[in-house]
Amino acid sequence: VQLTESGGGSVQAGGSLNLTCSASGYTHRTYCMVWFRQTPGHEREGVAAIDSDGITNYADSVKGRFSFSKGNARHTIHLQMNRLTPEDTAMYYCAADYYPWIQRAEKTCTVGVSPHEYNSWGQGTQVTVSS
C-alpha cells in the first residue's frame, strides 16, 4: 500500500490546515488509517484514527479541534485541523493497515495503537504553528 500525504504548511496560532492522505495499491477494502505526529527526540504519537466504516478516534489533545472527512476519491481521507497551537508543530505521518473484511472484529483502530503495528506509511508532511 502506498500512501501520499499533502496539506502541511506554516500558520499562525489559531489558524487552520487540512491534511490529505490518499492510498493506492491496496488489495483489501477494509482499513484503519491513522495520523501520527512526531517532534525531534520524541516517539510518534497517534492523533486521529478512522476506519473504513467511518468510525473515528482522536487524541485528547486534539479533540474538538481536529476532525476527519472522507474524500470523494476512494481511500482518501482529510484531517481538518482548527485552532492550531504551537504545540501542534510536528511532522505528520499517515499510516494505514489494510486487512480482509473478515478480520474486522480482531482489529483496533484507535490512536493508542503503537506505530509499530503499521506497515504502510506516507513520507510525512510538516506542520509549523507560530505564536
Side-chain angles (χ1 to χ4, degrees):
V1 177
Q2 292 77 47
L3 302 176
T4 303
E5 302 144 338
S6 61
S10 297
V11 296
Q12 291 192 322
S16 299
L17 287 171
N18 189 285
L19 302 183
T20 297
C21 179
S22 297
S24 61
Y26 47 85
T27 300
H28 306 292
R29 296 185 177 182
T30 317
Y31 62 80
C32 172
M33 285 190 180
V34 184
W35 281 101
F36 287 86
R37 64 187 181 188
Q38 187 173 27
T39 54
H42 293 86
E43 293 286 325
R44 290 185 186 185
E45 63 166 346
V47 294
I50 185 170
D51 68 15
S52 45
D53 289 332
I55 298 173
T56 58
N57 181 255
Y58 300 94
D60 288 343
S61 60
V62 306
K63 277 181 183 175
R65 300 188 298 121
F66 291 13
S67 61
F68 272 114
S69 61
K70 285 191 175 180
N72 291 328
R74 276 188 176 182
H75 302 262
T76 295
I77 59 171
H78 304 285
L79 183 67
Q80 179 66 36
M81 306 188 297
N82 297 326
R83 303 199 310 275
L84 287 161
T85 74
E87 287 69 37
D88 295 316
T89 295
M91 183 70 80
Y92 283 69
Y93 297 91
C94 179
D97 178 20
Y98 275 76
Y99 46 89
W101 183 87
I102 198 169
Q103 294 181 4
R104 288 170 64 215
E106 306 169 18
K107 297 291 185 176
T108 299
C109 188
T110 68
V111 296
V113 175
S114 168
H116 301 291
E117 296 295 319
Y118 296 90
N119 294 322
S120 301
W121 290 87
Q123 76 283 2
T125 184
Q126 179 67 38
V127 170
T128 302
V129 185
S130 58
S131 58

